[in-house]
Amino acid sequence: MNKKNKKFSTKSIHKGQEPEKLYGSVSLPIYLTSTFQQKEFAEYEYDYSRAGNPTRTNLEKNIASLEEGKGAIAFGSGMAAISSIMHLLSSGDEIIFTRNVYGGTYRVMEQIYSKFSIKSHWVDTTDLNALKQTINNNTKIVFIETPTNPMMEICDIKEISKICKKSKCILVVDNTFMSPHNQRPLTLGADIVMHSLTKYLNGHSDIIGGILVSNKQNIIDKLRFIQMSVGAVPSPFDCWIVQRSLKTLSVRMNQHNKNAYEIAHFLQSSKKIKAIFYPGLNTHSNHTIAQRQQLNPDGESVFGGMVSIDLGSLVKAKKFVKSLDIFTLAESLGGVESLVCHPASMTHASIPKKVRNQLGITDGLLRLSIGIEDVNDLINDLKKAINKIN
Ligand SMILES: *Cc1c(COP(=O)(O)O)cnc(C)c1O
């Protein structure tokens, strides 16, 4: 099949997925091998699975096309992907992060890479002036997350990319919360897109994985060399599982978007909820930026499946979660099943309480990952829990 100019859902099923040549198997085999026979001395397509494996290549081709990049490099986890980005830096270089990035990103920077004299800055990247003021001649990378976790703040990728181009910085966007179905940062000027495959891309809460995508060949070459050298590779089996999941990415994301939109509007109507954080509500402070940059492949504004709510106190949050039946109390997100998480004691527990409160991560805050169950069942579950709090 000629896959040029094919639409998103067609590419997610067919790109890198040509039927296998030996038997015509439509579902591709998993190349469970560490090494490959060479035709002659150093004459081969693959030599060793740390350097490359056909099952991994298929996955990388597929996700590169979904993010509209030139190439992708898959990793054993999202954190392995982020750590590999750090290896683009040398001691003395500086990196700027969105201030409330994923907790693991904060930890790997502050506790590991800071030891190698790489300087970090934690900036509110919704504020373009704050970003401009922090960039200096040593800044090599700006790493943003949008929407942020769990406060759902939106950073303007296009505007930030202009600032980065002027200062010759690489712009990295952690696109985990959106997936390429909902947001394609490379088309807005980013240089590298990062995903935890563990979340929406795999979507079934059964593997850990990560990926980086770029549209610049020199960046792709460097990252591939880092991947091969540090050995942060995923297993062929995990690559195959993610590939299988990608075939339903569009239908899953459509349902996540729809369910969360309906649920956010339902929650907004309840007086017992102190605050609600969802970029699809017109009361959200960055709603118009979200509307502009979060587009599905048909060009419609979409807002993802993550909704955070503040119930006002720890006691209420506990009672609420205890009363839920369908939502499971667990870390992680982006799976077909609905989850609820208490950031202050779970994902963000390592951040000092004072800093947490400054960011809005109060003891009463809950993060909902809206799954693709029947939306009325989910709403009834939430209704029941709301009625239990006073
Ligand atoms: C989960 C997550 C990561 C880390 O990915 P792992 O696969 O858990 O290593 C990074 N960024 C975001 C936004 C995440 O949600």
Side-chain angles (χ1 to χ4, degrees):
M1 184 194 299
N2 176 6
K3 289 176 209 75
K4 281 229 170 75
N5 306 319
K6 292 289 187 289
K7 295 280 169 50
F8 188 93
S9 55
T10 308
K11 289 195 290 186
S12 83
I13 294 170
H14 292 289
K15 191 84 187 176
Q17 296 294 297
E18 291 77 13
E20 165 260 359
K21 288 197 187 76
L22 194 55
Y23 298 112
S25 165
V26 168
S27 166
L28 296 185
I30 309 173
Y31 289 93
L32 288 173
T33 186
S34 56
T35 189
F36 299 82
Q37 182 185 34
Q38 303 198 6
K39 291 187 190 82
E40 265 296 337
F41 292 171
E43 208 181 284
Y44 57 81
E45 190 173 346
Y46 292 96
D47 64 339
Y48 187 62
S49 279
R50 171 156 43 73
N53 176 286
T55 314
R56 193 163 91 217
T57 305
N58 292 339
L59 176 69
E60 291 172 341
K61 276 189 188 160
N62 194 293
I63 296 180
S65 85
L66 299 183
E67 281 288 4
E68 302 193 27
K70 264 195 188 149
I73 302 109
F75 294 87
S77 69
M79 286 319 303
I82 291 171
S83 301
S84 296
I85 290 171
M86 302 302 295
H87 288 248
L88 293 170
L89 299 171
S90 306
S91 59
D93 286 348
E94 299 189 14
I95 176 165
I96 296 173
F97 290 95
T98 297
R99 63 177 180 171
N100 66 335
V101 278
Y102 181 72
T105 309
Y106 179 81
R107 182 174 51 214
V108 81
M109 177 63 231
E110 291 303 297
Q111 299 197 25
I112 298 181
Y113 291 103
S114 63
K115 290 192 292 194
F116 301 97
S117 303
I118 289 164
K119 191 168 171 198
S120 57
H121 301 269
W122 305 90
V123 174
D124 173 4
T125 50
T126 63
D127 178 351
L128 298 176
N129 281 326
L131 175 65
K132 275 184 209 160
Q133 278 160 18
T134 314
I135 291 181
N136 63 49
N137 288 338
N138 294 328
T139 313
K140 296 288 155 47
I141 294 178
V142 173
F143 186 114
I144 66 169
E145 207 175 295
T146 181
T148 62
N149 172 25
M151 300 313 296
M152 311 302 292
E153 292 175 341
I154 304 292
C155 307
D156 192 326
I157 300 172
K158 208 172 195 171
E159 289 305 314
I160 292 176
S161 87
K162 284 183 199 160
I163 296 169
C164 289
K165 282 209 169 65
K166 249 190 213 151
S167 318
K168 297 197 164 55
C169 300
I170 293 174
L171 174 61
V172 183
V173 179
D174 183 337
N175 201 25
T176 301
F177 264 44
M178 284 282 102
S179 90
H181 181 273
N182 282 3
Q183 177 169 274
R184 289 159 302 283
L186 298 179
T187 66
L188 299 169
D191 302 296
I192 300 174
V193 170
M194 176 266 154
H195 281 283
S196 166
L197 295 174
T198 317
K199 316 297 166 54
Y200 286 106
L201 290 181
N202 184 57
H204 294 72
S205 308
D206 48 16
I207 66 103
I208 299 284
I211 201 156
L212 300 175
V213 190
S214 179
N215 49 11
K216 306 210 163 55
Q217 197 58 48
N218 64 331
I219 292 179
I220 294 166
D221 293 344
K222 279 184 199 165
L223 290 171
R224 196 170 289 291
F225 180 75
I226 292 167
Q227 175 207 40
M228 188 271 288
S229 302
V230 305
V233 295
S235 76
F237 183 77
D238 285 357
C239 292
W240 189 90
I241 288 281
V242 178
Q243 184 63 66
R244 177 183 151 134
S245 301
L246 286 174
K247 296 177 186 184
T248 56
L249 181 64
S250 280
V251 283
R252 284 188 286 113
M253 290 317 297
N254 282 332
Q255 201 60 39
H256 283 295
N257 290 336
K258 229 168 120 184
N259 282 3
Y261 192 84
E262 221 171 294
I263 285 171
H265 284 84
F266 157 73
L267 292 169
Q268 199 183 27
S269 67
S270 168
K271 288 199 178 60
K272 290 190 183 170
I273 290 170
K274 204 178 133 201
I276 167 159
F277 306 94
Y278 177 70
L281 295 175
N282 54 20
T283 50
H284 186 282
S285 52
N286 307 121
H287 176 62
T288 48
I289 302 173
Q291 252 180 332
R292 179 163 20 93
Q293 78 182 6
Q294 298 178 185
L295 301 175
N296 71 13
D298 293 326
E300 295 155 351
S301 301
V302 284
F303 305 101
M306 302 301 296
V307 181
S308 293
I309 50 175
D310 195 339
L311 296 176
S313 77
L314 181 63
V315 175
K316 284 184 185 174
K318 266 199 172 155
K319 204 163 192 183
F320 181 88
V321 170
K322 273 237 152 41
S323 314
L324 288 167
D325 190 28
I326 302 175
F327 285 80
T328 303
L329 178 65
E331 294 198 6
S332 201
L333 60 111
V336 291
E337 62 286 297
S338 293
L339 302 178
V340 57
C341 152
H342 181 246
S345 66
M346 295 164 67
T347 49
H348 293 67
S350 60
I351 299 173
K353 187 167 172 139
K354 202 175 134 210
V355 181
R356 271 204 316 261
N357 281 330
Q358 279 167 3
L359 298 173
I361 307 170
T362 61
D363 285 349
L365 189 83
L366 293 173
R367 189 190 76 186
L368 305 173
S369 172
I370 307 297
I372 63 170
E373 299 95 336
D374 182 277
V375 72
N376 290 319
D377 283 341
L378 294 177
I379 288 177
N380 286 334
D381 203 30
L382 294 164
K383 212 181 262 175
K384 192 177 63 175
I386 290 172
N387 286 336
K388 290 271 168 65
I389 56 173
N390 35 44

